[in-house]
């Protein structure tokens, strides 16, 4: 009988950041640091394949929304681990012509060793995971951006030397990025304070789950409409676009509602003197963050973007049992 490729190993999915236990998340961060330390830097000679950990592994990278960082970092990362990345845009697949997610999952599971998907509804990722027989990774959905959160934790550790006890202030829309930060920060014992305009708070169920995750780690969650309360004494200031992919029609209305929820020099003045500034990118300068702050000394946004590569390599090795 023919069997899917991964039938002999337990399947680990990464659809939300708490699909990893806190100790597993810490191990991924340690591995990401090791991978970063080992990698030759661009500009100092070719960055050629130096790993064979994923030799013989093909990984499908499916994008139903635009992407620069996620797409390129996964493609380069899989290649650097000796694997074969297949970047597939929705309109290149029968998925774009109405083939079901479940049938796509069953078919791809016969060819590839893991599927990375960027999509709209979280239900599409869940269906892919249920119907397929290989690990599924959420490369961003309307609900969550867990790969971003892993890279964000790696970045915070890099600059702050640890995570537990730090205050992260997220100011802006209670969106996918905020959801994953809430959970990831809670798992690591951080105080995550989210300030949004009324009506744009994070999903109530995600907040409840984050509060539960914060309990064993002595983390803390604050949800407020007051950006000053959030940023006061923060170690990390974080923001994201006011209108996410799929919300383009609301952009003008949101720009008015979110005007008081910008990261600017006044926010930095309220934060701790050594606070760092983060943004998942792409940024809309002059909207959720000023040019001055995005390009200022406190900003770590491009290291944060780089760390997507290292964090996702560590994640794939872990999920595929190659760590
Ligand atoms: N931060 C992030 O996921 O960027 P992309 O949309 O470019 O992948
Ligand atoms: N919240 C943004 C993140 C982009 C990386 C979006 O979903 O468009």
């Amino acid at each position: 009988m023919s069997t899917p490729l991964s039938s002999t190993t337990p399947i680990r999915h990464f659809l939300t950041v708490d699909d990893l236990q806190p100790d597993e998340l810490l191990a991924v961060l340690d591995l990401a640091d090791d991978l970063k330390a080992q990698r030759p830097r661009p500009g100092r000679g070719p960055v050629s394949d130096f790993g064979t950990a994923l030799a013989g592994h093909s990984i499908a990278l499916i994008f139903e929304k635009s992407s620069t960082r996620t797409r390129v970092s996964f493609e380069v990362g899989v290649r650097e681990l000796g694997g074969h990345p297949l970047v597939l845009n929705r309109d290149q697949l029968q998925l774009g012509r109405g083939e079901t997610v479940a049938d796509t999952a069953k078919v791809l599971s016969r060819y590839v060793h893991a599927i990375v998907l960027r999509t709209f509804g979280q239900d599409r990722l869940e269906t892919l995971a249920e119907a397929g027989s290989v690990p599924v990774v959420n490369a961003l959905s309307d609900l969550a951006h867990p790969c971003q959160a892993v890279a964000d934790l790696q970045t915070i550790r890099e600059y702050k030397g640890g995570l537990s006890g730090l205050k992260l202030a997220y100011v802006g829309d209670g969106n996918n990025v905020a959801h994953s930060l809430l959970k990831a920060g809670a798992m690591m014992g951080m105080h995550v304070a989210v300030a949004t305009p009324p009506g744009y708070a994070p999903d109530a169920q995600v907040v409840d789950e984050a509060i539960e995750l914060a309990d064993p780690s002595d983390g803390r969650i604050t949800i407020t409409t007051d950006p000053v309360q959030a940023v006061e004494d923060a170690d990390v200031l974080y923001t994201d676009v006011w209108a996410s992919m799929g919300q383009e029609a609301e952009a003008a209305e949101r720009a008015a509602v979110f005007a008081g929820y910008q990261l600017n020099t006044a926010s930095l003045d309220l934060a701790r003197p050594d606070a760092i500034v983060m943004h998942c990118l792409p940024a809309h300068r002059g909207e959720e963050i000023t040019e001055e702050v995005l390009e200022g000394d406190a900003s770590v946004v491009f290291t944060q973007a780089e760390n997507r590569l290292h964090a996702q390599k560590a994640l794939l090795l872990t999920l595929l049992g190659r760590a």
Side-chain angles (χ1 to χ4, degrees):
M1 193 180 103
S2 66
T3 52
L5 290 172
S6 71
S7 62
T8 55
T9 50
I11 301 170
R12 294 293 306 266
H13 302 297
F14 190 64
L15 307 189
T16 69
V17 72
D18 51 327
D19 281 342
L20 293 176
Q21 295 298 312
D23 61 328
E24 293 176 317
L25 182 52
L26 271 173
V28 167
L29 295 177
D30 288 342
L31 179 56
D33 287 346
D34 288 349
L35 289 163
K36 181 167 185 171
Q38 284 169 34
R39 185 176 189 265
R41 296 176 71 83
R44 297 190 197 160
V47 182
S48 56
D49 289 355
F50 60 85
T52 54
L54 290 189
H57 288 66
S58 294
I59 315 287
L61 310 172
I62 305 177
F63 288 86
E64 299 197 281
K65 291 177 176 171
S66 304
S67 173
T68 297
R69 280 143 289 270
T70 309
R71 181 198 151 139
V72 176
S73 57
F74 263 115
E75 184 170 359
V76 169
V78 170
R79 209 173 283 284
E80 288 185 0
L81 294 170
H84 177 59
L86 295 100
V87 178
L88 304 162
N89 293 328
R90 174 189 165 85
D91 57 10
Q92 295 170 310
L93 295 169
Q94 297 289 10
L95 192 62
R97 296 179 59 247
E99 185 166 22
T100 65
V101 175
D103 283 357
T104 304
K106 288 176 197 166
V107 171
L108 291 184
S109 294
R110 302 298 179 113
Y111 303 141
V112 302
H113 298 79
I115 304 172
V116 176
L117 172 64
R118 168 167 287 197
T119 190
F120 293 87
Q122 187 76 4
D123 58 317
R124 289 174 78 75
L125 283 150
E126 284 162 6
T127 304
L128 196 67
E130 277 159 26
S133 48
V134 295
V136 172
V137 177
N138 181 355
L140 181 147
S141 64
D142 292 343
L143 183 75
H145 199 0
C147 294
Q148 180 70 56
V150 178
D152 295 343
L153 293 181
Q154 183 187 6
T155 308
I156 296 166
R157 280 206 328 179
E158 186 174 329
Y159 285 92
K160 295 285 165 199
L163 296 168
S164 182
L166 295 180
K167 180 178 181 186
L168 183 153
Y170 176 97
V171 176
D173 186 24
N175 63 14
N176 44 10
V177 169
H179 290 161
S180 293
L181 279 172
L182 274 163
K183 286 189 166 187
M187 288 167 72
M188 295 292 107
M190 298 176 74
H191 175 193
V192 185
V194 174
T196 72
Y200 294 87
D203 178 85
Q205 190 182 327
V206 173
V207 172
D208 285 346
E209 289 167 2
I211 290 168
E212 266 183 48
L213 290 165
D215 187 42
S217 67
D218 283 333
R220 194 172 144 204
I221 301 298
T222 301
I223 307 294
T224 177
T225 54
D226 180 1
V228 171
Q229 185 194 348
V231 301
E232 248 171 4
D233 296 323
D235 301 281
V236 181
L237 298 181
Y238 200 120
T239 192
D240 182 20
V241 291
W242 291 338
S244 286
M245 289 180 278
Q247 298 172 332
E248 289 79 5
E250 299 172 35
E253 177 194 337
R254 282 171 171 261
V257 174
F258 282 82
Y261 293 81
Q262 182 189 63
L263 285 190
N264 49 36
T265 49
S267 329
L268 265 180
D269 288 343
L270 289 165
R272 287 177 59 93
D274 59 350
I276 56 171
V277 170
M278 301 181 73
H279 191 309
C280 59
L281 303 178
H284 291 174
R285 290 165 164 84
E287 293 185 21
E288 75 276 1
I289 190 164
T290 58
E291 168 87 20
E292 193 180 4
V293 169
L294 189 76
E295 297 291 349
D297 290 343
S299 173
V300 301
V301 299
F302 295 109
T303 299
Q304 183 185 357
E306 177 191 329
N307 287 343
R308 297 292 303 279
L309 173 67
H310 314 300
Q312 288 158 192
K313 284 165 78 174
L315 200 53
L316 285 177
L317 291 174
T318 301
L319 296 175
L320 289 164
R322 315 291 294 174

